[in-house]
Amino acid sequence: MDLYECEKCKDRGYIYHSETNSCEICECEERKIYERILEKSGISEQFRKKGFKEFETKTEFQKTAKTIAIDFVKNFKDIENTRNSSIAFLGNCGAGKTHLSIAIANNLMAKNIGVLYMPYRECITRIKQVIIDDIEYNRIVNKYKNARVLLIDDFAKGKITESDINIMFEIINYRYLNQKTIILSSELTQDRLLDFDEAVGSRIIEMCRGRIVEALGIENNYRLGGNKNEI
Ligand SMILES: [Zn+2]
């Protein structure tokens, strides 16, 4: 058994550098904040149950999606902070997109990498409620802009308004420019992602290039999107 939950800071939450006599907040602190948010929202238990082991792979979509998800976790530290450090599961419902997204989050969290969970519809509704309160609006939106990793679950679900698009553009564009990772699940296909909004959709596609798995039809056939040689 490991002596500490975080070997890097020995659970102090900060790292002391004697050569410069300075302290640095440890990466595990961000992870702990996001775990507390999950606990407060009452979904942390459901969340924890969703690992790669529990993910059934009956269809081609599920097999491919799982392989890409596991590779993504394995290679995360090498691809982080690059233009291409995100992943998306698109298309048909019931294909397990949310499960896989959460499994990625759990596995990154186990490595002390903070993943902020953003259930799209609930969050966008909450943000719109505070849209005329600058301070509160920025407090919430900045959280989604700056999280080390952001999991956007069920993106673009429900009726889409102009202000939904503006809010999502603000968040996605910031993360795009700053090379920050998103994990995205959505019932939209790639084409419909562009219909949602071309600026938002094209940025998501570029960020996730090579790691967009799209479930098609009831058999959950799949296609890989954003590749040069698209299937
Ligand atoms: Zn630490």
Side-chain angles (χ1 to χ4, degrees):
M1 207 183 95
D2 291 337
L3 211 48
Y4 300 103
E5 211 184 325
C6 178
E7 285 296 327
K8 223 167 161 180
C9 68
K10 305 201 165 29
D11 294 345
R12 283 190 202 104
Y14 62 88
I15 300 158
Y16 176 66
H17 299 286
S18 55
E19 52 303 347
T20 51
N21 192 26
S22 61
C23 278
E24 177 199 351
I25 305 279
C26 184
E27 61 183 5
C28 67
E29 282 296 291
E30 189 180 3
R31 192 255 309 156
K32 283 178 200 154
I33 291 168
Y34 298 156
E35 258 166 19
R36 280 196 292 270
I37 293 174
L38 278 182
E39 269 156 34
K40 261 171 68 184
S41 64
I43 55 165
S44 84
E45 209 172 310
Q46 261 171 286
F47 210 89
R48 277 201 196 103
K49 281 185 198 149
K50 293 187 164 62
F52 287 129
K53 267 205 313 261
E54 292 77 17
F55 186 73
E56 286 188 34
T57 50
K58 287 182 184 155
T59 66
E60 285 309 308
F61 166 80
Q62 289 165 335
K63 281 178 203 151
T64 308
K66 184 175 178 177
T67 307
I68 290 177
I70 291 172
D71 279 353
F72 176 78
V73 170
K74 235 185 257 167
N75 301 324
F76 182 75
K77 291 223 164 157
D78 297 326
I79 58 174
E80 191 182 16
N81 304 315
T82 69
R83 294 173 73 85
N84 185 215
S85 60
S86 297
I87 187 165
F89 304 102
L90 305 178
N92 255 27
C93 58
K97 299 186 303 289
T98 292
H99 184 135
L100 269 187
S101 306
I102 293 176
I104 292 175
N106 281 328
N107 280 275
L108 291 179
M109 295 271 236
K111 297 181 180 190
N112 274 319
I113 295 164
V115 182
L116 179 61
Y117 180 61
M118 178 186 190
Y120 171 82
R121 186 39 54 195
E122 283 164 65
C123 292
I124 211 93
T125 304
R126 172 87 191 105
I127 295 169
K128 283 192 288 190
Q129 283 164 352
V130 299
I131 211 153
I132 50 163
D133 176 348
D134 272 356
I135 295 173
E136 187 60 5
Y137 176 86
N138 284 320
R139 190 187 67 79
I140 300 180
V141 169
N142 285 341
K143 214 170 58 175
Y144 298 124
K145 282 181 176 175
N146 290 305
R148 184 167 177 187
V149 177
L150 181 67
L151 194 180
I152 309 173
D153 192 21
D154 238 337
F155 174 74
K157 188 189 182 182
K159 195 170 163 284
I160 294 150
T161 66
E162 183 91 30
S163 63
D164 296 15
I165 293 173
N166 292 338
I167 293 163
M168 284 323 290
F169 180 78
E170 188 177 342
I171 294 168
I172 297 286
N173 188 49
Y174 182 89
R175 300 191 67 88
Y176 170 78
L177 294 173
N178 291 282
Q179 307 187 333
K180 284 175 162 285
T181 298
I182 55 170
I183 304 164
L184 183 131
S185 84
S186 178
E187 281 180 18
L188 298 185
T189 56
Q190 246 190 104
D191 305 336
R192 291 195 40 224
L193 209 57
L194 292 167
D195 291 341
F196 169 87
D197 180 69
E198 186 146 0
V200 174
S202 63
R203 280 164 178 73
I204 291 172
I205 291 169
E206 193 180 330
M207 292 161 89
C208 300
R209 201 169 289 280
R211 287 184 220 94
I212 302 174
V213 204
E214 202 173 300
L216 306 167
I218 42 167
E219 294 297 321
N220 279 183
N221 289 325
Y222 71 98
R223 70 169 177 173
L224 294 175
N227 290 318
K228 285 197 184 80
N229 311 310
E230 204 160 316
I231 301 165

